[in-house]
mmCIF file of all heavy atoms in Angstrom:
data_model
loop_
_atom_site.group_PDB
_atom_site.id
_atom_site.type_symbol
_atom_site.label_atom_id
_atom_site.label_comp_id
_atom_site.label_asym_id
_atom_site.label_seq_id
_atom_site.Cartn_x
_atom_site.Cartn_y
_atom_site.Cartn_z
ATOM 1 N N ILE A 1459 9.092 -13.763 29.588
ATOM 2 C CA ILE A 1459 8.141 -14.751 30.090
ATOM 3 C C ILE A 1459 8.317 -16.035 29.292
ATOM 4 O O ILE A 1459 8.193 -16.030 28.066
ATOM 5 C CB ILE A 1459 6.684 -14.239 29.962
ATOM 6 C CG1 ILE A 1459 6.536 -12.877 30.662
ATOM 7 C CG2 ILE A 1459 5.706 -15.227 30.556
ATOM 8 C CD1 ILE A 1459 5.768 -11.867 29.882
ATOM 9 N N GLY A 1460 8.627 -17.118 30.000
ATOM 10 C CA GLY A 1460 8.829 -18.395 29.319
ATOM 11 C C GLY A 1460 10.283 -18.629 28.946
ATOM 12 O O GLY A 1460 11.181 -17.893 29.364
ATOM 13 N N THR A 1461 10.511 -19.661 28.119
ATOM 14 C CA THR A 1461 11.888 -20.098 27.849
ATOM 15 C C THR A 1461 12.202 -20.139 26.357
ATOM 16 O O THR A 1461 13.068 -20.901 25.929
ATOM 17 C CB THR A 1461 12.117 -21.506 28.435
ATOM 18 O OG1 THR A 1461 11.090 -22.379 27.929
ATOM 19 C CG2 THR A 1461 12.075 -21.508 29.951
ATOM 20 N N ASP A 1462 11.503 -19.344 25.557
ATOM 21 C CA ASP A 1462 11.797 -19.336 24.120
ATOM 22 C C ASP A 1462 13.272 -18.975 23.909
ATOM 23 O O ASP A 1462 13.723 -17.909 24.340
ATOM 24 C CB ASP A 1462 10.904 -18.317 23.406
ATOM 25 C CG ASP A 1462 11.256 -18.216 21.926
ATOM 26 O OD1 ASP A 1462 11.057 -19.212 21.223
ATOM 27 O OD2 ASP A 1462 11.757 -17.156 21.500
ATOM 28 N N PRO A 1463 14.056 -19.858 23.267
ATOM 29 C CA PRO A 1463 15.505 -19.627 23.177
ATOM 30 C C PRO A 1463 15.880 -18.352 22.398
ATOM 31 O O PRO A 1463 16.835 -17.666 22.761
ATOM 32 C CB PRO A 1463 16.047 -20.873 22.480
ATOM 33 C CG PRO A 1463 14.867 -21.563 21.889
ATOM 34 C CD PRO A 1463 13.664 -21.162 22.671
ATOM 35 N N VAL A 1464 15.110 -18.035 21.351
ATOM 36 C CA VAL A 1464 15.418 -16.834 20.557
ATOM 37 C C VAL A 1464 15.194 -15.576 21.397
ATOM 38 O O VAL A 1464 16.033 -14.675 21.451
ATOM 39 C CB VAL A 1464 14.564 -16.798 19.263
ATOM 40 C CG1 VAL A 1464 14.814 -15.506 18.493
ATOM 41 C CG2 VAL A 1464 14.887 -18.005 18.379
ATOM 42 N N SER A 1465 14.058 -15.522 22.104
ATOM 43 C CA SER A 1465 13.758 -14.380 22.982
ATOM 44 C C SER A 1465 14.806 -14.249 24.084
ATOM 45 O O SER A 1465 15.291 -13.154 24.366
ATOM 46 C CB SER A 1465 12.367 -14.532 23.613
ATOM 47 O OG SER A 1465 11.365 -14.387 22.636
ATOM 48 N N ALA A 1466 15.146 -15.396 24.695
ATOM 49 C CA ALA A 1466 16.124 -15.388 25.800
ATOM 50 C C ALA A 1466 17.481 -14.872 25.323
ATOM 51 O O ALA A 1466 18.132 -14.071 26.005
ATOM 52 C CB ALA A 1466 16.259 -16.791 26.388
ATOM 53 N N GLN A 1467 17.875 -15.305 24.137
ATOM 54 C CA GLN A 1467 19.160 -14.860 23.572
ATOM 55 C C GLN A 1467 19.132 -13.340 23.303
ATOM 56 O O GLN A 1467 20.102 -12.633 23.583
ATOM 57 C CB GLN A 1467 19.410 -15.624 22.271
ATOM 58 C CG GLN A 1467 20.800 -15.404 21.684
ATOM 59 C CD GLN A 1467 20.955 -16.106 20.331
ATOM 60 O OE1 GLN A 1467 20.066 -16.818 19.877
ATOM 61 N NE2 GLN A 1467 22.079 -15.900 19.689
ATOM 62 N N TYR A 1468 18.014 -12.869 22.785
ATOM 63 C CA TYR A 1468 17.853 -11.447 22.466
ATOM 64 C C TYR A 1468 17.907 -10.601 23.739
ATOM 65 O O TYR A 1468 18.555 -9.547 23.780
ATOM 66 C CB TYR A 1468 16.529 -11.265 21.719
ATOM 67 C CG TYR A 1468 16.382 -9.948 20.993
ATOM 68 C CD1 TYR A 1468 17.476 -9.304 20.426
ATOM 69 C CD2 TYR A 1468 15.138 -9.349 20.857
ATOM 70 C CE1 TYR A 1468 17.339 -8.101 19.756
ATOM 71 C CE2 TYR A 1468 14.981 -8.142 20.191
ATOM 72 C CZ TYR A 1468 16.086 -7.524 19.636
ATOM 73 O OH TYR A 1468 15.931 -6.326 18.986
ATOM 74 N N VAL A 1469 17.257 -11.083 24.806
ATOM 75 C CA VAL A 1469 17.276 -10.365 26.088
ATOM 76 C C VAL A 1469 18.701 -10.315 26.650
ATOM 77 O O VAL A 1469 19.163 -9.272 27.114
ATOM 78 C CB VAL A 1469 16.305 -11.013 27.111
ATOM 79 C CG1 VAL A 1469 16.497 -10.407 28.503
ATOM 80 C CG2 VAL A 1469 14.858 -10.836 26.657
ATOM 81 N N ARG A 1470 19.411 -11.444 26.575
ATOM 82 C CA ARG A 1470 20.794 -11.484 27.074
ATOM 83 C C ARG A 1470 21.681 -10.498 26.311
ATOM 84 O O ARG A 1470 22.524 -9.820 26.898
ATOM 85 C CB ARG A 1470 21.376 -12.907 26.943
ATOM 86 C CG ARG A 1470 20.946 -13.866 28.034
ATOM 87 C CD ARG A 1470 21.868 -15.082 28.112
ATOM 88 N NE ARG A 1470 21.911 -15.841 26.873
ATOM 89 C CZ ARG A 1470 21.039 -16.791 26.537
ATOM 90 N NH1 ARG A 1470 20.053 -17.111 27.350
ATOM 91 N NH2 ARG A 1470 21.143 -17.437 25.380
ATOM 92 N N MET A 1471 21.469 -10.437 25.001
ATOM 93 C CA MET A 1471 22.261 -9.511 24.179
ATOM 94 C C MET A 1471 21.989 -8.056 24.586
ATOM 95 O O MET A 1471 22.911 -7.250 24.710
ATOM 96 C CB MET A 1471 21.919 -9.739 22.703
ATOM 97 C CG MET A 1471 22.722 -8.893 21.735
ATOM 98 S SD MET A 1471 21.890 -7.345 21.350
ATOM 99 C CE MET A 1471 20.529 -7.931 20.386
#
Side-chain angles (χ1 to χ4, degrees):
I1459 305 136
T1461 54
D1462 176 65
V1464 176
S1465 291
Q1467 188 184 355
Y1468 196 33
V1469 171
R1470 280 198 301 275
M1471 183 268 290

